[in-house]
Amino acid sequence: MSDATNMLPPAPCSASAQSEAGSPRVHTQDGVLHAHPGESLLDTLERHGHRVEFQCRSGYCGACRTPLLAGSVHYPNVPLAFVSPGECLPCCCRPMGAIRLDIQKD
């Protein structure tokens, strides 16, 4: 007698559930946000209702500097503004996997 449960196909998932499952997660004081592929961290935050101070959207001014409590981000282009360990520039970085920010909605 065999166990047929191992042969069942996986349960279908919606396209949005599949894309969120593989997307980087951004943990804030308000909950977990899911980033879309290729979007900046600032775009993710704005899409979920966060208001982040910014002026350049390219890493030039540093106005969006935000505490990065855990995880890492990637800068497709090296920002001109100084970035200390433990912080990031949401305007020009992308989350790499799960990250945690010290930020909340206004």
Side-chain angles (χ1 to χ4, degrees):
M1 184 174 204
S2 67
D3 182 8
T5 57
N6 291 334
M7 300 181 74
L8 295 174
C13 292
S14 69
S16 63
Q18 288 176 356
S19 66
E20 283 187 1
S23 68
R25 293 179 319 276
V26 180
H27 297 262
T28 69
Q29 294 176 10
D30 302 302
V32 180
L33 317 177
H34 294 275
H36 288 166
E39 80 178 344
S40 72
L41 180 53
L42 179 59
D43 290 339
T44 300
L45 292 167
E46 288 179 330
R47 189 167 43 80
H48 287 90
H50 287 266
R51 294 180 187 211
V52 178
E53 176 67 32
F54 70 90
Q55 294 186 15
C56 69
R57 286 194 181 265
S58 62
Y60 180 74
C61 71
C64 65
R65 189 172 281 114
T66 301
L68 176 64
L69 303 177
S72 62
V73 298
H74 169 70
Y75 293 92
N77 299 305
V78 178
L80 294 177
F82 182 76
V83 184
S84 294
E87 63 185 20
C88 67
L89 300 176
C91 74
C92 62
C93 73
R94 296 179 184 153
M96 302 296 294
I99 65 170
R100 181 171 304 280
L101 302 177
D102 187 15
I103 191 172
Q104 67 182 28
K105 291 182 185 178
D106 289 336

